Each structure stands twice: as structure tokens, then as C-alpha cells.
């Protein structure tokens, strides 16, 4: 079977933004971005702005994404939001397992697995983040770290995997201005795809989109997007600037399998 993997370009605004900024960004995006086959674009604003942004963006061109959700429907979990609430708002995507959730807020791989499974059960597409620390990269431990982060997903069905998009984000490159070289990123994506092929199935591995994140900007996106196993970008700071984010979107190169 042959086909084309979807190339995803996502903007993760983290704890940034305002109504006026999002209105300006939406206007620039709506006017300047055209639909492209096999390219999906999403923006993940801070929680208070999910519905506001959804109403401002052209929903035929862009999707809105949540930065996180919890593993159950409701309850006494102050500060959390549920996948059910995202469905209620019509939000189709959610980021789970970002390094800041793992390393700043102490989320375990077990919790990330539970959150992913629950979100998928409600029909959400999960942007599942993986990545190693600088010490891991220097000690040649990257593949062991990624295998550990992925291990619980070996039991997921192909149907569940069809709702997962991997985002590889080397922690040492997030917000630092340091970016993995195109070859470093490509080699790691090859490892992730090989892991999926061996632990889940070759068919799932071929079809799964693997995004790269970590100081992606308007200058380095073109060389990264040419790599045969890079299927998108999860963008931080550059996604707050319409002109830069549009340049990154326009660099998209969907890959055949």
C-alpha cells in the first residue's frame, strides 16, 4: 500500500498571547495561507483563548489545539481540563507529553499514556511529544530515553495509532536557539519509525507522521522539511509571529510512503 503522510505544522503558544495578539495573528494567517493537500495546520493557544481563537481562524484552513488535557472526564482536579471539554468546544487536537509537562510539572510516562488513551477514545487526535535532555544526547542515550517514553504505546492498536502524531522535541533545543541539524533530526526520526515498525507494525510506522520541534524558525525550516522522515513542525516562539509562522507553513513537504 502506498500513500502520503500528512505534514503537520503546529504553533504551541505555551503561556503567551492576548486577545489582541491572537486577533492580529488570525487576520494575517487567514489572508496569507492557502490550503495545501496533505498539510494540516493547527495553533495551540493558552486555555482561556481556545474558543476565542476558534472563532477568529478560518476553520477551513486551520485547526485549534489544546496544550494538554487530563485522563478522566471530570472531578476534583483543580486547574485541569478534560478531553470531554475539548470535544464540547469542538477542539480536535491536543498536545500530550510535552517536555515542559514532563520536566516542569513532573508528569510520568504512565500518566501520559493514560491521558493519550482517554483522549483518543473520545476521537481527539493526540500530538504525542517525546524528547531527550542534553545529558542524554551527549551520553548517546537518546534511543534508550525515547524507547522508554514509547514503551507503553506498543500495546496500542493500529486504530489508536491512527489518532497519534508523534512530535520529537529534543529538550536541549526547545527555546534555546540551538536546533538539531537536519541529519540529527532525520536520524532520530528514523529510529522512532523503526521502533514503531518493530513494536506495533510496519504499516503503522509508514503511516505515522513524526513532527520535529526545537527552535524551528523561518531560516532553518526549509532544510529540515526536506528530510524524508520529518513530517511536520511543532513551533514555539516563531508561531507567535505571523510572517515567520507562514514561512514555516509554506516550507511543508509531505512525504510519500
Amino acid at each position: 500500500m502506498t500513500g502520503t503522510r500528512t505534514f503537520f505544522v503546529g504553533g504551541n503558544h505555551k503561556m503567551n498571547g492576548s486577545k489582541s495578539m491572537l486577533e492580529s495573528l488570525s487576520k494575517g494567517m487567514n489572508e496569507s495561507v492557502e490550503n495545501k493537500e496533505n498539510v494540516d495546520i493547527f495553533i495551540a493557544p493558552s486555555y482561556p483563548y481556545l474558543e476565542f481563537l476558534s472563532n477568529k481562524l478560518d476553520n477551513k484552513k486551520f485547526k485549534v489545539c489544546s496544550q494538554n488535557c487530563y485522563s478522566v472526564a471530570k472531578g476534583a482536579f483543580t486547574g485541569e481540563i478534560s478531553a470531554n471539554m475539548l470535544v464540547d468546544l469542538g477542539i480536535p487536537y491536543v498536545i500530550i507529553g510535552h517536555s515542559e509537562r514532563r520536566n516542569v510539572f513532573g508528569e510520568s510516562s504512565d500518566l501520559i499514556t493514560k491521558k493519550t488513551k482517554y483522549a483518543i477514545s473520545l476521537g481527539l487526535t493526540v500530538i504525542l511529544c517525546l524528547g531527550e535532555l542534553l545529558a542524554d544526547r551527549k551520553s548517546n542515550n537518546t534511543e534508550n530515553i525515547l524507547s522508554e517514553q514509547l514503551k507503553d504505546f506498543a500495546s496500542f492498536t493500529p486504530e489508536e495509532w491512527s489518532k497519534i502524531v508523534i512530535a520529537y522535541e529534543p529538550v536541549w533545543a526547545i527555546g534555546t536557539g540551538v536546533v538539531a541539524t537536519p541529519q540529527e533530526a532525520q536520524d532520530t526520526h528514523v529510529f522512532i519509525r523503526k521502533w514503531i515498525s518493530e513494536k506495533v507494525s510496519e504499516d503503522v510506522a509508514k503511516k505515522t507522521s513524526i513532527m520535529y520541534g526545537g527552535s524551528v524558525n523561518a531560516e532553518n525550516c526549509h532544510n529540515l522539511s526536506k528530510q524524508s522522515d520529518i513530517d511536520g513542525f511543532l513551533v514555539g516562539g516563531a508561531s507567535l509571529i505571523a510572517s515567520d509562522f507562514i514561512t514555516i507553513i509554506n516550507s511543508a513537504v509531505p512525504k510519500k510512503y
Side-chain angles (χ1 to χ4, degrees), residues 155-227:
S155 63
F156 278 40
T157 66
E159 290 73 26
E160 289 174 317
W161 269 95
S162 72
K163 301 295 289 183
I164 293 176
V165 177
I166 297 290
Y168 167 61
E169 294 196 298
V171 180
W172 45 271
I174 298 174
T176 62
V178 178
V179 64
T181 66
Q183 192 59 55
E184 284 175 328
Q186 166 65 12
D187 290 347
T188 307
H189 283 222
V190 167
F191 169 76
I192 293 169
R193 202 174 303 284
K194 180 182 177 185
W195 186 97
I196 298 170
S197 180
E198 292 175 350
K199 304 297 184 181
V200 186
S201 79
E202 183 179 357
D203 186 58
V204 168
K206 288 178 180 177
K207 293 177 179 177
T208 298
S209 295
I210 306 175
M211 306 168 72
Y212 171 77
S215 295
V216 176
N217 58 44
E219 284 72 47
N220 60 36
C221 59
H222 300 282
N223 286 332
L224 286 163
S225 68
K226 294 174 185 175
Q227 302 303 309

Side-chain angles (χ1 to χ4, degrees), residues 63-100:
K63 296 181 175 69
V64 176
C65 175
S66 176
Q67 295 181 18
N68 190 27
C69 68
Y70 199 49
S71 57
V72 297
K74 60 182 180 179
F77 303 103
T78 301
E80 288 290 347
I81 62 170
S82 73
N84 306 67
M85 295 172 182
L86 300 179
V87 171
D88 191 38
L89 286 174
I91 306 299
Y93 290 173
V94 59
I95 298 169
I96 293 179
H98 193 278
S99 64
E100 288 150 16

Side-chain angles (χ1 to χ4, degrees), residues 14-257:
K14 307 188 180 185
M15 198 173 71
N16 295 294
S18 65
K19 289 173 71 174
S20 61
M21 184 278 279
L22 291 172
E23 189 147 19
S24 176
L25 179 70
S26 298
K27 186 174 186 294
M29 300 273 292
N30 290 341
E31 293 174 353
S32 302
V33 176
E34 298 299 328
N35 284 326
K36 185 175 178 181
E37 190 175 7
N38 298 308
V39 177
D40 276 15
I41 306 161
F42 64 84
I43 296 177
S46 291
Y47 299 136
Y49 303 123
L50 283 168
E51 192 166 30
F52 177 82
L53 183 62
S54 186
N55 290 332
K56 293 295 180 182
L57 283 174
D58 183 342
N59 296 135
K60 294 179 181 178
K61 297 180 179 180
F62 312 106
K63 296 181 175 69
V64 176
C65 175
S66 176
Q67 295 181 18
N68 190 27
C69 68
Y70 199 49
S71 57
V72 297
K74 60 182 180 179
F77 303 103
T78 301
E80 288 290 347
I81 62 170
S82 73
N84 306 67
M85 295 172 182
L86 300 179
V87 171
D88 191 38
L89 286 174
I91 306 299
Y93 290 173
V94 59
I95 298 169
I96 293 179
H98 193 278
S99 64
E100 288 150 16
R101 301 303 311 177
R102 294 177 189 265
N103 299 319
V104 178
F105 296 98
E107 292 189 1
S108 66
S109 292
D110 181 58
L111 176 59
I112 289 162
T113 303
K114 290 176 180 175
K115 294 202 299 187
T116 301
K117 183 172 278 288
Y118 187 68
I120 288 171
S121 76
L122 294 183
L124 295 175
T125 294
V126 171
I127 313 301
L128 177 63
C129 296
L130 313 171
E132 82 281 12
L133 299 170
L134 181 58
D136 301 317
R137 169 67 64 168
K138 287 185 173 179
S139 61
N140 296 315
N141 203 33
T142 296
E143 293 183 0
N144 290 332
I145 296 297
L146 297 178
S147 295
E148 177 66 24
Q149 292 173 347
L150 281 165
K151 68 178 183 181
D152 291 340
F153 296 95
S155 63
F156 278 40
T157 66
E159 290 73 26
E160 289 174 317
W161 269 95
S162 72
K163 301 295 289 183
I164 293 176
V165 177
I166 297 290
Y168 167 61
E169 294 196 298
V171 180
W172 45 271
I174 298 174
T176 62
V178 178
V179 64
T181 66
Q183 192 59 55
E184 284 175 328
Q186 166 65 12
D187 290 347
T188 307
H189 283 222
V190 167
F191 169 76
I192 293 169
R193 202 174 303 284
K194 180 182 177 185
W195 186 97
I196 298 170
S197 180
E198 292 175 350
K199 304 297 184 181
V200 186
S201 79
E202 183 179 357
D203 186 58
V204 168
K206 288 178 180 177
K207 293 177 179 177
T208 298
S209 295
I210 306 175
M211 306 168 72
Y212 171 77
S215 295
V216 176
N217 58 44
E219 284 72 47
N220 60 36
C221 59
H222 300 282
N223 286 332
L224 286 163
S225 68
K226 294 174 185 175
Q227 302 303 309
S228 60
D229 286 278
I230 291 181
D231 304 309
F233 300 121
L234 188 56
V235 186
S239 70
L240 300 168
I241 305 165
S243 59
D244 287 3
F245 195 42
I246 290 164
T247 297
I248 295 168
I249 290 166
N250 289 337
S251 76
V253 181
K255 312 304 190 308
K256 295 186 181 299
Y257 58 85

